[in-house]
Amino acid sequence: MIAPGDSNAALEVRGLGFVFDGGQRALDAIEFTLGSGESLGIIGPNGAGKTTLFLTLMGIYAPSEGEIRVFGDRVPAMNGTLAPVSLRRRIGLVFQESEEQLFSPTVFDDVAFGPLNFGFPREEIGRRVSRALEAVDLPGYENRTPQHLSAGEKRRVAIATVISYGPDIVILDEPTSDLDPRGRRKLAELLVSMPQAKLIASHDLEFVRRTCDRVLLLDHGRIRASGPTEGILGNDELLERHGL
């Protein structure tokens, strides 16, 4: 486990809280550290706060209290505005619904969207698209129509749209929600092979077991348990108590 302030920490979250405008507290005193290259699973029942946590880490929600550090640099409070480019380049989010990430007429256009908007030279964008599609085992898909792909292919293209611009941290929200067993297996193999630090929220505990070094159990906006994957997922009483 990475200690607070460790130079190998990709992400540090300290005392993080978030309250919706109506007064409902969604996150309370969240604290954890993600090591560089580490894969951390986030589990919990529906409504536990997993997606809210991810949106707060991305700067889409402004935290009510606490701090977030990315490779030692404190992330400023965005207050609903876009996060700084320097942060958006280092963290990429793969949404729960692939269709939310795939909106262009071709796979090439979707995967090129990040590099294009981050200002990469046009001559480099094609290379980045090709490398990203090769990384997700979809070489030659550049001219395919995203809407005509299978669920597993859409999921992998969605991941390619993120890794094409080279973030150091990849966040995945329920990545197996629409995949069959073969798709889940292929995705697990892909994630294990990726060098980036990863946060993976999933109800699929077997998938978490395959892909994550450690696990946080989140319920009602608070971390209820954390530790090595086998220790958390092997505790039947703990999982039952939190609806898992």
Side-chain angles (χ1 to χ4, degrees):
M1 182 180 296
I2 303 296
D6 193 297
S7 59
N8 290 320
L11 179 68
E12 295 179 82
V13 178
R14 298 286 165 252
L16 188 69
F18 178 76
V19 179
F20 286 108
D21 290 341
Q24 177 188 356
R25 177 166 286 277
L27 299 174
D28 188 14
I30 300 295
E31 299 209 2
F32 67 89
T33 303
L34 176 69
S36 182
E38 184 183 23
S39 185
L40 178 62
I42 311 290
I43 64 173
N46 287 333
K50 300 185 292 296
T51 298
T52 302
L53 172 62
F54 287 172
L55 294 177
T56 305
L57 295 177
M58 292 296 298
I60 297 171
Y61 290 164
S64 304
E65 59 263 343
E67 70 173 25
I68 302 165
R69 291 183 180 269
V70 176
F71 291 96
D73 295 329
R74 183 170 182 172
V75 177
M78 272 72 75
N79 297 319
T81 63
L82 280 176
V85 170
S86 58
L87 170 64
R88 287 184 278 133
R89 276 287 308 275
R90 306 206 78 171
I91 304 179
L93 172 63
V94 180
F95 291 96
Q96 180 173 345
E97 301 295 336
S98 298
E99 287 77 7
E100 295 181 6
Q101 211 136 2
L102 307 178
F103 46 79
S104 300
T106 69
V107 167
F108 180 94
D109 292 331
D110 272 325
V111 180
F113 183 83
L116 184 64
N117 280 274
F118 283 125
F120 286 92
R122 286 190 174 272
E123 61 272 17
E124 185 180 345
I125 290 174
R127 293 194 295 269
R128 284 184 167 269
V129 171
S130 295
R131 286 199 300 266
L133 289 174
E134 288 173 4
V136 299
D137 198 25
L138 294 177
Y141 270 58
E142 284 88 344
N143 294 321
R144 299 282 293 271
T145 302
Q147 290 71 26
H148 296 165
L149 302 179
S150 70
E153 289 169 334
K154 288 179 181 178
R155 180 67 67 194
R156 283 184 279 162
V157 172
I159 294 173
T161 68
V162 169
I163 65 176
S164 62
Y165 60 84
D168 300 297
I169 303 168
V170 177
I171 299 175
L172 301 104
D173 193 359
E174 296 293 346
T176 65
S177 60
D178 52 2
L179 301 185
D180 61 19
R182 177 184 294 180
R184 290 196 294 271
R185 184 173 64 252
K186 281 183 167 292
L187 180 59
E189 292 169 355
L190 168 63
L191 295 182
V192 169
S193 71
M194 288 169 53
Q196 291 91 345
K198 294 174 286 291
L199 284 176
I200 302 172
S202 182
H203 287 108
D204 185 341
L205 300 187
E206 181 56 35
F207 183 81
V208 171
R209 178 177 276 113
R210 289 181 178 183
T211 57
C212 297
D213 308 302
R214 292 189 294 123
V215 170
L216 301 181
L217 195 161
L218 192 66
D219 197 359
H220 288 89
R222 293 184 65 92
I223 294 175
R224 307 296 176 171
S226 65
T229 300
E230 288 301 328
I232 298 295
L233 299 189
N235 188 333
D236 291 343
E237 189 277 331
L238 174 69
L239 298 181
E240 178 70 23
R241 189 164 68 245
H242 293 283
L244 298 172

